[in-house]
Amino acid sequence: MAVSFCVRRIASTRHNFLKIPKRHGYIVLLPEIGEESSEKNPLLKDNNLPEFNTITIEKCIAAIGRQTVEFEEKINSLQTVIESKKDLDVFNDLLHTIEDTYLPLETTWGIAKTLYFGNQSVMPTKSYMGIHERAIRAAASKFSNISLYRVFKEALENKDIKLTHSQKRVLSKYVLEGTLNGLNLEDKKYDLYMADVEYLGFKAKEYKAKYEGATGAYSITIHNREIVEDFPENFLKTIALDPKQPFLGPWKITLKPYILEPFMEHCPDRKLRATIWEADVIRCSTYQERSVQASVTLEEMRGRRLEQAQRLGYKHFAEMSMNTKMAGNMENLQNTLETLRSIARPVQDLEIKSLTDFAKERGFTDTLRVWDVAYWSRKQRHSLYDCKDSTLSPYFPLPTVLSGLFEHIEFLFNVKIIESKKADIWHKDVRFYDVFDLNVSSNVPVANFYLDPYARGADKFRKEQDSGWVSTIKSKSKICDSNPLLALIFNFPPPIGDKPSLLSFRDVQILFQKFGHALQHLLTTVEYSDIAGLSFVEWDAVFICDFFMENWLYEPFMLRKISEHYETKQPLPAEIIENIKNMRSYFAGYKLCKELYLSQMDLELHSSETFWVPMMKQLWPKYFALPLEKRDVHVCSFEALWSGRWAAAYFSKIWSEMIAADLYTAFQEIKPDDKSQQKELGARFRDTFLALGSSYPAAEIFRKFRGRDPSPQALLNNVGLTRTTK
């Protein structure tokens, strides 16, 4: 339906269209990508798929350079449209034009990101960051233009204009983003606000340089084979100076997460564990040389974030953050987090006591300290559940896991996934798939995705110990007749000869999580890319589908579906299935308290002016049974808050996990053999959480599915925590 109304001519003297303010991002989590012809995007073939066989850094840089300039010029030209048209159609004249021009840029951005994650020999970090930062600056112009902001705000508030629900949501996005960009402020206040934003961007880069400097400067080389004799082979390949001879050594230990975490779990040398632990927690603190100290920097950032929020009329930065969160307000969030803490904390006391007893039974004679937890908990977990990777991995060959996962997706959502050979790929390991909506057609795909499963050393980006990436390349867009396209990129063990890729159970969890994330992008039915898939979804709702899919892994029927011994073809033994199910609750109190502590620390840092040191000392004992160590100053290396995008938003993972648990409970309430009801509920989940994108707020979508507001109890039940402890 056309949307027309008379608009006053709006002068734009306050803002220069080409002077684009920097944003740290409140809403847009992922590129909102649409369809482009090869004329608009030289990186696409005639079938509108990326020409990965011939893409180079130079082509990406040239394409993003041209497209960003064209997009910014188009935004600039809309000023003339606004001033010259007597009856302005905000969608046909403005928003459709923006989307049509923006989507080729987003596609180039998505292609570059995919290569950055999947083939660093083609797209190294330095080259990608240049493309990424240029694209962000251009994208910001959508939401930092005063003329567009006023027109969209007037259209949204004009009750005489007939808007569809989706159109209202699109306008709401632009108005909210514009407001968070300070566009509702008067000239002087706006200038001060933008000074805050620019300052914070500068300080974030300053912190990142300090963090990377402190991280990169530290390493320890191990020559003693006895220390590494219990290390997994794949980990030895990662840390060996010669990966081709992982058992010979020497082995290099750094503070990178994918090295640090497994090292702390497997290292038997307690003094060495304590040394590495301390190196980790003192990063960027006053215990290090001045060039990498960040305590002052983070306090400066806290102060400016407070000023930034107060200029927009909020008490503090955390309150401002609630505008883009499903939790809605600080009171609701704090009540929920406290409910979880009050149950998890007493359980943690029992867990630490049990772990101490376990360690002492095996010759440990000292007091348990924080650097002992990962090591002894791994040993206790294996003792209780016989869940070593060497035991489980032979039952999880990647082809079998994928086949079972695809079968379950088809059963639940009536969607078929079939491999296709029609696309260029960036490496011989990469596969390409068509996604068919069987409700519509089994011949014409509604979406596509690439799968790049195997680790390739330095050729692939890696950060966490178990990393997986969903890189969007195109989004759903009716305006541009575009179907979703993305890449799923992992670091699973590659096949060796006739031996297939064998996944650890953690690998299987990551696979299910990322497919859940991908399905929300691939199966959206929303017509505007601005609110399709994951675009404009609240930050604390963006991982809901990830955890929803992971929840199925603890069902015996699912474990049987995705497993088979790669040599004997025997099914996963019943006792192992039971162990996996029970293993979920192991150390659940400690793990939940750790995430709750970091979430609460983040919120306190961004709602209080208290110096971070006393804040940390006050919060720690509320969440941990073990005391805070004297030299533990982990706030200084809380990278997600200071150079990442998660300030006042770190709780998002827990919130998403809580919502996913509640949604999954609906399936548990159905009898396991009632396939009809399972499929009916699966269709309802698809029609809500997978289809609706952000065309409705996440809380409203939840109510559409569950018929009520969410409860934290489902999460506690999922991980084996109850309201009473003996």
Side-chain angles (χ1 to χ4, degrees):
M1 183 181 294
V3 182
S4 301
F5 67 107
C6 294
V7 181
R8 299 183 306 275
R9 294 194 176 188
I10 301 171
S12 184
T13 55
R14 179 155 68 97
H15 298 260
N16 182 329
F17 285 95
L18 298 179
K19 183 182 179 183
I20 299 168
K22 299 176 182 178
R23 272 286 311 281
H24 293 287
Y26 292 95
I27 297 171
V28 183
L29 294 178
L30 297 168
E32 314 141 34
I33 300 157
E35 197 273 341
E36 309 85 23
S37 70
S38 57
E39 293 179 1
K40 291 183 178 180
N41 196 322
L43 306 185
L44 299 182
K45 300 193 301 181
D46 291 340
N47 63 359
N48 283 322
L49 291 174
E51 199 170 14
F52 279 117
N53 288 349
T54 60
I55 288 175
T56 63
I57 295 172
E58 291 76 17
K59 284 186 178 181
C60 284
I61 292 173
I64 206 75
R66 190 195 76 193
Q67 291 164 339
T68 50
V69 170
E70 287 176 352
F71 181 70
E72 290 163 350
E73 288 176 346
K74 180 62 69 174
I75 293 294
N76 194 16
S77 72
L78 293 179
Q79 173 70 23
T80 304
V81 175
I82 292 170
E83 292 177 346
S84 62
K85 279 215 168 189
K86 186 175 180 181
D87 294 319
L88 188 69
D89 185 326
V90 293
F91 276 86
N92 285 328
D93 293 334
L94 301 176
L95 284 163
H96 290 187
T97 301
I98 292 171
E99 184 156 317
D100 185 60
T101 312
Y102 183 57
L103 296 180
L105 184 161
E106 284 279 75
T107 297
T108 298
W109 191 3
I111 290 170
K113 181 180 290 187
T114 298
L115 290 173
Y116 167 62
F117 288 140
N119 193 341
Q120 291 227 314
S121 61
V122 174
M123 185 60 64
T125 299
K126 185 176 180 180
S127 299
Y128 172 70
M129 291 313 297
I131 291 171
H132 181 70
E133 291 174 4
R134 184 66 186 95
I136 285 178
R137 290 200 303 273
S141 64
K142 290 205 297 180
F143 307 114
S144 58
N145 183 288
I146 187 63
S147 297
L148 291 175
Y149 172 74
R150 288 176 177 171
V151 168
F152 295 155
K153 192 170 188 290
E154 186 174 337
L156 190 61
E157 294 172 351
N158 192 331
K159 295 180 180 179
D160 295 330
I161 303 171
K162 292 183 179 179
L163 297 168
T164 67
H165 180 81
S166 290
Q167 288 171 336
K168 289 179 181 177
R169 284 291 287 174
V170 172
L171 291 176
S172 295
K173 173 178 181 173
Y174 277 80
V175 171
L176 178 56
E177 281 277 13
T179 300
L180 293 175
N181 268 322
L183 297 185
N184 61 333
L185 299 175
E186 296 178 0
D187 290 354
K188 187 175 181 180
K189 288 184 178 180
Y190 173 81
D191 291 340
L192 291 171
Y193 182 84
M194 293 316 300
D196 289 338
V197 173
E198 186 173 354
Y199 176 87
L200 285 167
F202 171 78
K203 284 295 177 180
K205 287 185 176 181
E206 178 184 297
Y207 174 84
K208 185 174 183 179
K210 291 174 182 287
Y211 179 85
E212 291 179 348
T215 301
Y218 185 86
S219 68
I220 283 183
T221 302
I222 298 173
H223 297 273
N224 185 350
R225 290 189 186 184
E226 292 182 2
I227 291 176
V228 304
E229 64 183 4
D230 198 28
F231 286 17
E233 182 177 347
N234 286 332
F235 182 51
L236 287 175
K237 289 179 180 178
T238 301
I239 61 176
L241 294 185
D242 182 0
K244 294 180 180 179
Q245 301 185 75
F247 299 102
L248 293 182
W251 303 271
K252 184 179 179 181
I253 305 302
T254 71
L255 299 180
K256 294 179 180 178
Y258 66 89
I259 291 177
L260 177 67
E261 292 168 19
F263 174 82
M264 295 301 291
E265 289 181 355
H266 290 89
C267 178
D269 187 318
R270 192 177 187 228
K271 289 184 178 180
L272 189 54
R273 287 201 309 270
T275 298
I276 300 293
W277 170 87
E278 181 176 287
D280 178 40
V281 299
I282 67 169
R283 271 185 292 177
C284 301
S285 73
T286 53
Y287 291 118
Q288 295 198 296
E289 62 180 66
R290 186 175 295 275
S291 64
V292 296
Q293 291 178 13
S295 179
V296 173
T297 301
L298 67 89
E299 283 298 312
E300 290 170 338
M301 293 181 73
R302 288 180 65 201
R304 276 300 182 98
R305 284 172 177 168
L306 175 62
E307 290 180 19
Q308 180 189 31
Q310 290 178 341
R311 292 190 205 285
L312 293 182
Y314 300 101
K315 292 180 182 177
H316 42 65
F317 191 84
E319 183 182 66
M320 183 177 80
S321 172
M322 292 299 105
N323 279 283
T324 58
K325 307 301 183 295
M326 181 184 177
N329 59 68
M330 288 290 288
E331 182 180 8
N332 183 41
L333 173 59
Q334 293 284 22
N335 288 341
T336 301
L337 297 181
E338 176 56 25
T339 296
L340 295 171
R341 189 204 68 84
S342 67
I343 305 303
R345 180 62 174 81
V347 174
Q348 183 193 160
D349 289 340
L350 300 177
E351 292 168 343
I352 293 298
K353 182 180 184 304
S354 172
L355 187 64
T356 300
D357 293 342
F358 174 85
K360 287 184 176 180
E361 289 169 4
R362 283 149 184 81
F364 182 73
T365 58
D366 207 331
T367 302
L368 201 72
R369 308 281 280 273
V370 287
W371 52 82
D372 299 315
V373 172
Y375 176 75
W376 284 109
S377 63
R378 179 186 65 86
K379 283 188 167 294
Q380 186 183 41
R381 185 175 71 249
H382 289 175
S383 173
L384 291 171
Y385 304 111
D386 189 22
C387 56
K388 293 180 180 179
D389 287 343
S390 58
T391 302
L392 297 181
S393 292
Y395 288 96
F396 292 116
L398 178 60
T400 303
V401 177
L402 280 176
S403 176
L405 173 59
F406 291 173
E407 181 183 331
H408 188 58
I409 288 172
E410 181 176 350
F411 170 77
L412 275 184
F413 308 129
N414 208 28
V415 168
K416 198 164 191 68
I417 298 172
I418 299 177
E419 186 172 0
S420 169
K421 301 294 185 182
K422 66 186 178 185
D424 286 358
I425 53 179
W426 57 91
H427 189 275
K428 62 181 179 62
D429 293 340
V430 178
R431 302 182 227 170
F432 183 79
Y433 293 87
D434 292 324
V435 180
F436 297 94
D437 179 358
L438 298 182
N439 295 329
V440 178
S441 171
S442 59
N443 298 316
V444 181
V446 295
N448 309 93
F449 66 89
Y450 300 89
L451 175 64
D452 186 357
Y454 308 129
R456 289 193 292 273
D459 272 359
K460 270 188 161 179
F461 179 84
R462 191 171 186 183
K463 186 175 182 180
E464 290 84 4
Q465 178 184 354
D466 309 292
S467 54
W469 309 97
V470 179
S471 176
T472 56
I473 302 172
K474 294 186 180 183
S475 283
K476 179 79 173 176
S477 172
K478 185 177 180 181
I479 295 166
C480 299
D481 190 26
S482 166
N483 286 333
L485 174 68
L486 57 77
L488 286 149
I489 301 170
F490 300 96
N491 279 291
F492 299 147
I496 302 174
D498 295 333
K499 182 180 178 181
S501 172
L502 300 179
L503 307 187
S504 68
F505 187 69
R506 182 58 185 151
D507 290 335
V508 179
Q509 288 175 310
I510 294 293
L511 181 69
F512 270 61
Q513 285 180 8
K514 298 307 176 183
F515 260 93
H517 199 81
L519 287 173
Q520 196 169 356
H521 180 81
L522 296 170
L523 299 182
T524 187
T525 58
V526 180
E527 59 185 1
Y528 296 106
S529 70
D530 265 313
I531 54 171
L534 288 154
S535 182
F536 197 44
V537 170
E538 293 92 329
W539 287 54
D540 52 350
V542 80
F543 302 116
I544 288 174
C545 295
D546 305 47
F547 290 114
F548 172 80
M549 285 303 296
E550 184 195 346
N551 280 326
W552 291 99
L553 278 177
Y554 302 94
E555 297 290 350
F557 83 87
M558 177 58 70
L559 289 169
R560 288 191 291 268
K561 186 190 294 285
I562 64 170
S563 65
E564 178 184 77
H565 196 285
Y566 79 100
E567 288 180 318
T568 67
K569 308 305 178 186
Q570 292 297 307
L572 197 64
E575 61 269 23
I576 291 183
I577 290 176
E578 189 66 19
N579 281 340
I580 290 174
K581 187 176 179 181
N582 293 333
M583 186 171 62
R584 192 180 196 186
S585 63
Y586 176 75
F587 239 56
Y590 181 89
K591 288 184 286 189
L592 181 55
C593 280
K594 182 177 180 180
E595 289 302 306
L596 289 169
Y597 165 77
L598 293 172
S599 299
Q600 189 61 39
M601 173 61 74
D602 172 29
L603 293 171
E604 292 283 345
L605 286 165
H606 292 100
S607 62
S608 166
E609 295 184 63
T610 303
F611 185 52
W612 64 265
V613 174
M615 182 188 298
M616 179 182 67
K617 291 180 178 179
Q618 181 183 10
L619 281 177
W620 182 274
K622 288 182 62 178
Y623 292 86
F624 292 103
L626 297 178
L628 178 68
E629 296 291 336
K630 184 177 180 181
R631 287 171 64 87
D632 188 344
V633 286
H634 54 270
V635 174
C636 291
S637 56
F638 202 166
E639 182 203 10
L641 307 191
W642 312 122
S643 64
R645 295 157 57 90
W646 295 97
Y650 190 84
F651 73 91
S652 295
K653 179 183 173 184
I654 289 178
W655 192 271
S656 288
E657 192 172 1
M658 180 188 77
I659 300 300
D662 203 336
L663 294 169
Y664 184 70
T665 301
F667 290 84
Q668 293 177 308
E669 293 166 355
I670 298 173
K671 293 180 180 179
D673 58 349
D674 194 335
K675 303 299 183 184
S676 176
Q677 279 200 45
Q678 291 277 359
K679 285 181 72 70
E680 183 181 333
L681 200 56
R684 195 161 92 219
F685 186 86
R686 175 184 167 175
D687 291 342
T688 51
F689 277 90
L690 298 183
L692 293 178
S694 62
S695 59
Y696 293 86
E700 192 171 338
I701 294 175
F702 180 91
R703 285 191 288 271
K704 285 177 181 288
F705 184 83
R706 284 300 262 156
R708 57 166 174 77
D709 289 330
S711 164
Q713 187 59 42
L715 175 59
L716 294 169
N717 293 341
N718 252 12
V719 297
L721 298 173
T722 61
R723 290 195 173 277
T724 58
T725 56
K726 295 181 180 180

